[in-house]
Amino acid sequence: MPPLIVAFAALAAVDIAGVAAGLPPLEWVAKPLLAPVLAVQLWRLTGTRHAPVLAGLGFAAAGDVALMLPGRVAFAVGIVFFLGTQLCWTAAFLRAGALRYLRPRRRLCAVHLAVWVAAVAALAPALGPVLGTAVAVYASALVTMALTARVLGRRPAWGGLVFLASDLLVGLGAAGADFPGRAVLVMVTYTVALALITTAFTAAEARQADGARRQPPQRVGVCGPPSATARWAGAGCGARAG
């Protein structure tokens, strides 16, 4: 296992332990580093080819800090930062061909829309008009990210669903519907979602590289349309034929 992934797992364990034991210093030590460690791992393996993903992790790190601060203002700021995360990741999935993938899957889109409507209907009344509207906007971006994530396969699809579950638990706490163990579940699901979504991009590139090694060399000027991962890497027809 790569050392940075080991470091991420260790930071996640420290943070979850801090939440479970009610020790905020442990959270402050570990939580702000979760997204940056994944960003460094992604950058080391792929450079800046996945700049929107890196930007999304930057927003996530800022959102993590905001959500550790008390008060509704800090909560609202955290929502704004994580809105940036969802928009950046959605842009990355759209770049990978999510619209083409989703166009024939209308039932799947309808299910995600129903999830958004149900979540907003359940949480918005308890949050008030201002915060409820902010949560509704954020939830629409989150559901869209989870939907478009399916373009890269099962790993990011599960990551999107787990992120949905994590933020639903956050919303329940903000709405006053707390229960024992909720905060721990929030962090467990959040860290799992971060890892699944981020590593999906390196896994996609690894599959692309493996497929390229297995294919016989093509004649110059005979080249089909590049895959999504090849487009990220700048390995389109011109690159191969040149």
Side-chain angles (χ1 to χ4, degrees):
M1 186 179 293
L4 285 172
I5 297 300
V6 173
F8 173 80
L11 288 168
V14 170
D15 182 60
I16 292 167
V19 173
L23 296 174
L26 289 182
E27 296 180 65
W28 277 102
V29 167
K31 191 176 181 182
L33 296 176
L34 290 170
V37 166
L38 287 179
V40 172
Q41 171 70 4
L42 180 62
W43 174 77
R44 286 188 63 189
L45 295 176
T46 67
T48 58
R49 290 195 294 276
H50 302 301
V53 186
L54 295 172
L57 289 167
F59 279 118
D64 283 338
V65 172
L67 291 180
M68 285 191 291
L69 299 172
R72 289 207 162 194
V73 173
F75 182 77
V77 172
I79 288 178
V80 172
F81 281 128
F82 274 105
L83 176 62
T85 295
Q86 310 310 336
L87 293 176
C88 287
W89 288 353
T90 298
F93 293 128
L94 290 174
R95 184 178 169 190
L99 284 181
R100 183 173 61 254
Y101 172 83
L102 292 172
R103 195 169 288 122
R105 293 171 171 83
R106 296 181 181 179
R107 184 175 300 178
L108 179 64
C109 296
V111 169
H112 281 70
L113 177 61
V115 169
W116 175 77
V117 171
V120 171
L123 296 176
L127 294 173
V130 176
L131 196 54
T133 300
V135 167
V137 172
Y138 172 73
S140 66
L142 173 59
V143 169
T144 301
M145 184 280 293
L147 182 61
T148 56
R150 292 175 173 268
V151 69
L152 290 186
R154 293 182 180 180
R155 184 186 304 200
W158 277 110
L161 290 175
V162 175
F163 213 122
L164 273 171
S166 181
D167 278 358
L168 178 60
L169 291 167
V170 172
L172 288 174
D178 204 358
F179 57 87
R182 182 194 61 83
V184 172
L185 284 175
V186 167
M187 285 313 305
V188 170
T189 51
Y190 173 63
T191 52
V192 168
L194 275 184
L196 287 174
I197 291 171
T198 304
T199 59
F201 289 89
T202 55
E205 288 208 1
R207 288 195 302 269
Q208 175 69 21
D210 184 63
R213 285 194 299 269
R214 293 172 184 271
Q215 289 178 356
Q218 294 178 326
R219 297 194 308 273
V220 174
V222 180
C223 178
S227 68
T229 308
R231 289 196 300 272
W232 298 332
C237 184
R240 290 201 295 274

